[in-house]
Every structure is written in structure tokens, then in C-alpha cells.
Amino acid sequence: DGFKCAKPLSGGMVVSALRSGIRCSLLTRPSRLMESHLKLTLHSSLAGIGSLYSVLSKRRGKVLEDSMVEGTDLLMITATIPHAESFGLAPEVFRQSSGEVTAPELIFSHWEQLDQDPFWIPTSLEEREDFGEISQNGDVSTGMDNTALKYIRQVRERKGLWVDSSRTVVAAEKQRTMKR
């Protein structure tokens, strides 16, 4: 007549089973980070547009629109930039453009999934040829520019948690001795 337990079910048993089921489902799926994006609006003269675009591309920004402001020689630029990349943006824009760009106005825009697995490790022969061999397991950089892993390391370092350092000596016999 159906399923019968050896013991009567208690609330603790149900919670424990539910917790282990949720944990297993989260660990079997590849992990991804969600990052907030800011919409920035600023004005620039034609002389500062090249340096502005280089700063935005370096910080993974995307220009949505650029249009001339009527009656002036200024361009109004609308772009999005990840929130984590926006720290120190205004001073860098001023320094790179020599003051040709106005201060950016930053407003929350949207959330976006970062399509990089922070814990990806090359497994196939082709991936190992492209990204190199890994001599350790775990949270180790693969040599590629992994933004998600960089963000996780920054948060761990800021919170005082253990961070696998890229300064760890892997092959000491290959190190160069510095002359004094």
C-alpha cells in the first residue's frame, strides 16, 4: 500500500534530505556569477573620443549610443559598464583624455550573467594545448583571463578568506635569481 518508513518522519529528517538534495543540484551545475551593470552618460569633444573608447573597452564597457549635441561640438555618449569595473572610472577618463570628457553620470541599468565558469579547468588534449597544463587542482588560474575567477579572488581577499595566490611557487627550479 505505498511507501512505509522504518521510523516516523520528523521535520529534521525532511530538512536534512532537502538540504543535501539542493546542495547536490547546485554542485552538479556549472557555476556562474551575476553582475550588475551601470548605464553611464557623459559628454566628450571629438579630441577625447578615442581615449574614452579605449578606457571603456578596457573596462568591458559597451557604447549604446553616441550623438552630437545640437549647437555645440560635443558628443553625448551613452554606454553600459559592469559595476565592478566602474571604480576609479572618472579619474582614469580625465587622465587619459586630458580633461576633454565630462564626469560620467552612473545609474543602475540591469543584471547580466557573466558567461565564464570561475572554476573551469582544461581537461581535453586540445584545451590543454590552448591553455596549458595545470600542476595543481582546485581554484587555480588556468593562465587565461578569467574575469569571474578574478572577481571571486577579490571578494575573498577583501573578506579575509583564503585566496590561492598566483605568486605561489609551482616550479622552483625554473625561477630566476635576481642579482643585487
Side-chain angles (χ1 to χ4, degrees):
D1 288 322
F3 178 74
K4 293 189 180 193
C5 287
K7 294 186 198 175
L9 286 176
S10 68
M13 292 168 72
V14 172
V15 168
S16 176
L18 185 64
R19 180 178 53 209
S20 64
I22 290 173
R23 175 175 288 173
C24 286
S25 68
L26 288 174
L27 290 176
T28 56
R29 186 156 164 68
S31 50
R32 298 289 184 262
L33 295 180
M34 293 294 289
E35 62 179 349
S36 63
H37 280 251
L38 299 174
K39 180 179 175 183
L40 66 98
T41 307
L42 42 79
H43 293 83
S44 172
S45 66
L46 292 173
I49 197 80
S51 58
L52 172 65
Y53 275 49
S54 69
V55 169
L56 287 178
S57 67
K58 183 177 92 173
R59 292 174 173 255
R60 298 186 314 117
K62 296 178 188 130
V63 176
L64 302 175
E65 176 187 4
D66 54 349
S67 59
M68 291 292 290
V69 178
E70 291 187 33
T72 64
D73 64 341
L74 296 177
L75 287 165
M76 185 177 88
I77 295 130
T78 306
T80 61
I81 190 169
H83 193 175
E85 303 288 339
S86 69
F87 297 104
L89 175 68
E92 185 177 2
V93 166
F94 291 146
R95 186 175 55 253
Q96 294 290 332
S97 68
S98 302
E100 295 286 335
V101 179
T102 62
E105 175 186 338
L106 299 168
I107 301 169
F108 175 77
S109 176
H110 64 281
W111 290 93
E112 193 173 296
Q113 181 178 355
L114 190 59
D115 285 333
Q116 290 179 327
D117 188 358
F119 306 113
W120 178 80
I121 295 175
T123 53
S124 70
L125 183 60
E126 185 176 322
E127 289 173 346
R128 285 191 211 136
E129 287 175 358
D130 290 341
F131 302 109
E133 290 287 332
I134 299 200
S135 58
Q136 298 175 352
N137 291 331
D139 187 16
V140 179
S141 175
T142 59
M144 59 184 255
D145 186 27
N146 192 334
T147 308
L149 183 61
K150 182 181 80 169
Y151 289 161
I152 288 175
R153 285 182 174 157
Q154 286 175 349
V155 169
R156 286 179 179 170
E157 192 172 318
R158 187 175 67 231
K159 291 186 173 202
L161 300 174
W162 180 81
V163 178
D164 67 327
S165 176
S166 59
R167 291 172 279 168
T168 304
V169 176
V170 176
E173 64 274 1
K174 293 182 180 179
Q175 272 192 330
R176 182 174 74 125
T177 308
M178 304 295 285
K179 293 181 180 177
R180 292 187 188 246

